[in-house]
Amino acid sequence: DGGITQSPKYLFRKEGQNVTLSCEQNLNHDAMYWYRQDPGQGLRLIYYSQIVNDFQKGDIAEGYSVSREKKESFPLTVTSAQKNPTAFYLCATRSPGGNNEQFFGPGTRLTVL
Amino acid sequence: GDSVTQMEGPVTLSEEAFLTINCTYTATGYPSLFWYVQYPGEGLQLLLKATKADDKGSNKGFEATYRKETTSFHLEKGSVQVSDSAVYFCALRGIQGAQKLVFGQGTRLTINP
């Protein structure tokens, strides 16, 4: 059953703590993305990776970090430097070739107390 | 830079009403255009897309036509159902930096029985 898994669905952390959000895919897609969604706003790109061991900053990368050690996995760390981390985080992959569609995971809602 | 502007919500309609959600864009050249749908607590699903001017995307009774002259990609459905209640996002993928999607702010749609 192919798809994108994000865990956990809900995550609570205390202010000042780093937290890592998981994203795993078995679609065999090279490109992966992290977006942030806030109420009443569209999705904003945090980081993306086009291939293993390579990633680039998106539009709102400050306070976040990523790694891409395996094709299947693209974890996102929300650091204590992120001033307003409470949000819904969505991971996506992109199919190769001309189709070039993005597929989204179910998301993780992070609440910082 | 590229941008997408969507009709502000929320939108509330009765079942079987006609739906239009407006979307206009600013981009260089001929971007690909998308509508995504997000059901409560879930990630985004691709609803329909169009990759060149005058193309019409359609799926599940929804339609949108790529209008280059008005830089628009309005979403329409002739008869909405309660199950269509969701948040709808218009997005573009530009010809530059082609990997990234640019999203509108989303329009929340509620259909009452």
Side-chain angles (χ1 to χ4, degrees):
Chain A
D1 193 18
I4 303 168
T5 303
Q6 290 187 246
S7 60
K9 191 168 179 64
Y10 299 96
L11 192 54
F12 297 88
R13 280 295 182 268
K14 292 183 179 179
E15 194 172 340
Q17 289 181 333
N18 292 356
V19 59
T20 297
L21 280 59
S22 165
C23 177
E24 303 283 329
Q25 57 109 350
N26 61 6
L27 300 170
N28 201 34
H29 291 167
D30 285 312
M32 298 186 73
Y33 305 78
W34 274 106
Y35 293 91
R36 170 183 172 135
Q37 184 181 11
D38 294 283
Q41 297 190 38
L43 278 66
R44 293 182 289 168
L45 183 65
I46 304 172
Y47 268 97
Y48 64 103
S49 167
Q50 297 186 68
I51 201 164
V52 173
N53 292 323
D54 180 66
F55 49 83
Q56 290 86 39
K57 293 182 179 180
D59 301 317
I60 56 165
E62 185 175 350
Y64 299 97
S65 65
V66 293
S67 63
R68 188 81 189 279
E69 297 176 1
K70 299 186 301 181
K71 188 174 188 177
E72 301 79 17
S73 179
F74 189 41
L76 172 74
T77 296
V78 184
T79 76
S80 56
Q82 169 49 235
K83 298 200 184 313
N84 188 17
T86 295
F88 190 51
Y89 290 87
L90 287 158
C91 177
T93 69
R94 177 171 55 89
S95 59
N99 202 13
N100 232 350
E101 284 184 28
Q102 286 197 18
F103 297 84
F104 285 81
T108 292
R109 184 166 298 281
L110 173 65
T111 302
V112 175
L113 306 171
Chain B
D2 296 346
S3 66
V4 175
T5 301
Q6 270 182 251
M7 170 178 172
E8 285 202 23
V11 174
T12 303
L13 296 172
S14 298
E15 205 165 20
E16 299 184 4
F18 184 85
L19 169 71
T20 300
I21 300 177
N22 290 339
C23 172
T24 57
Y25 68 89
T26 302
T28 303
Y30 292 82
S32 295
L33 301 174
F34 305 84
W35 276 100
Y36 282 85
V37 58
Q38 184 180 36
Y39 298 102
E42 297 184 10
L44 274 67
Q45 301 175 26
L46 179 64
L47 181 59
L48 54 84
K49 66 178 182 180
T51 57
K52 59 183 188 294
D54 299 325
D55 265 3
K56 178 186 282 189
S58 62
N59 185 25
K60 299 180 181 180
F62 291 90
E63 293 183 339
T65 301
Y66 188 157
R67 302 285 189 201
K68 179 65 176 175
E69 63 277 13
T70 55
T71 62
S72 66
F73 193 53
H74 304 322
L75 182 69
E76 296 182 336
K77 186 174 185 182
S79 176
V80 292
Q81 306 300 314
V82 172
S83 58
D84 294 326
S85 299
V87 181
Y88 292 81
F89 292 93
C90 185
L92 69 79
R93 186 181 67 232
I95 60 172
Q96 296 174 348
Q99 314 92 315
K100 297 187 288 184
L101 288 174
V102 176
F103 286 87
Q105 75 270 32
T107 302
R108 181 175 298 278
L109 174 66
T110 301
I111 307 300
N112 293 322

